[in-house]
Each structure stands twice: as structure tokens, then as C-alpha cells.
Amino acid sequence: MRKPIIAGNWKMHKTINEAKSFVEEIKGSIKETDVEAVICAPYTILKDLKEVTKGTNIKVGAQNMHFEENGAFTGEISPLMLKDLEIDYVIIGHSERRQYFNETDETVNKKVKKALEHSIIPIMCVGESLEEREAGDTKSIVKSQVEKGLEGINHEDIKKIVVAYEPIWAIGTGKTASSEDANEVIAYIREVIKNVSSEDISEEIRIQYGGSVKPSNVEEIMNQSDIDGALVGGASLEPKDFIELVNF
Ligand SMILES: O=C[C@H](O)COP(=O)(O)O
């Protein structure tokens, strides 16, 4: 049985005080369920978020990290630094990082390996652009991203990873892939994972959908057979919405 995981990606939003009041507001309202709730926040907030979420079932994630442990990489944050703060998750290869910060499948692969080495769970993002979808290339794009992202990772480690399928055209646009469409691509991703590892691992690994998920559509999305969670941008910024998402 795969444990559902609802992760908020705050992107470049919120100050420390805003993050603290957010947690204050949601903490009593997250049901004690089997759903894992995660907030992926900017680096500057992580330490405080860890403190204010202590004793709750809310986990904390970063939105990126470098694949080296230290070195001359001005402006970067290493896995050791995230480990210092006992960060649970890290988003790797979000489409915004691929698009604006030259993230490639190769750097994604290095980062996923490094996160696993330091026991930080990577949320590895894949997904096609609108042009790629319209050209009928969705499956070949996600296949290649998944295969390259997982290259050289042993099977036992693969099952710890969370994969997030985020069609780029659905991010922040209000357009959601239909839940059936999203489920079909996610079932296909499971098939790709089976081919690079084993059937058991592909059944165990958790795969999220991301792209304009909100309280009004989360239940339908989560009811799909192969979708185990959601990676939520905009709607994760409002305490009321976040509570509804996690208590779907
Ligand atoms: O990481 C989250 C995704 O980019 C989705 O963002 P969104 O929910 O604002 O569409």
C-alpha cells in the first residue's frame, strides 16, 4: 500500500514570519490520517519551519540542492547543509529549474543520487511541454526523463524516491490534465520504472501529479488508481486550501 503524499511547493514565496503563521494556522487542522503532508519552502525558511512543525506530522522539504557536498559554487546549497537542518525531502528537476536554471537530466540524476546518499527523499519532477504534448511526444519525453534521472541508482534506492509528473502546460495556468490523462501517463511512468528496476519496485514507488491541483479537484485526482499524491504550487500558499488538500 503506497502512502499518499501531498506536498506544497511554495516556490519563491513567504518570509519567515509568514511561514510561522501559516503553520500555526494549519497545525491543529491536519487530520491524523495516512496522508503525508510536506511543505517545500525557500532555503531561508527551512530552519524555522523545522522548528515550528516539530511534534506535528508535517514534513519539510527544500526546492533544490547542489550535487556536490561543498566547493566553489557561489549561491548554492549542498546536501550536507540540508542534512544539518534535518530536511526530509528535496524537489529535484522541477520544470522551472530545468527551464530557467539549465537543470538537465544529467544534473537531476546526480542530485537524486546525492540526496539518497544523505537520506533526503528526492521528489524527482518530470513532464512535457505543450508543444511536446501536441506533437504526441508525452510518453517518449517522460520515459527519457525517468530513465536518465534514475540511471545507475540501485533498485532498493529507487523505491524511496517520489516521482512527480507535472505537465509544464498545467503549471500555474489553471489548466489541469484530466485526472484520467494524468493517471494514464503516471501508469506509463510506473511501467518505465518496472523496466529499469522490477515489478515490485514499480508497485511500491510513489508518483504524484502536479499542475493546478486545488481543493476542488484534489479528491478526483487522488482517486485515480496510479496517482499517489500531488505536488501543489499556488493552492499550497493559503492555509485553508492546504488543509483541504491534505484532508482531501
Ligand atoms: O510544484 C508545483 C507545480 O509547479 C504546480 O504548480 P501549480 O499548482 O501552481 O500549478
Side-chain angles (χ1 to χ4, degrees), residues 9 11 91 94 96 166 170-173 210-213 231-235:
N9 174 11
K11 305 192 179 183
I91 298 175
H94 190 280
E96 286 149 18
E166 299 205 309
I171 297 177
T173 57
S212 299
V213 178
L231 182 57
V232 189

Side-chain angles (χ1 to χ4, degrees), residues 9 47 64 81 95 141 157 175 188 206-207 224 232:
N9 174 11
K47 189 168 191 284
N64 179 39
M81 297 163 187
S95 63
I141 294 291
D157 275 344
K175 291 183 194 152
Y188 175 71
R206 293 182 297 170
I207 309 180
Q224 297 293 317
V232 189

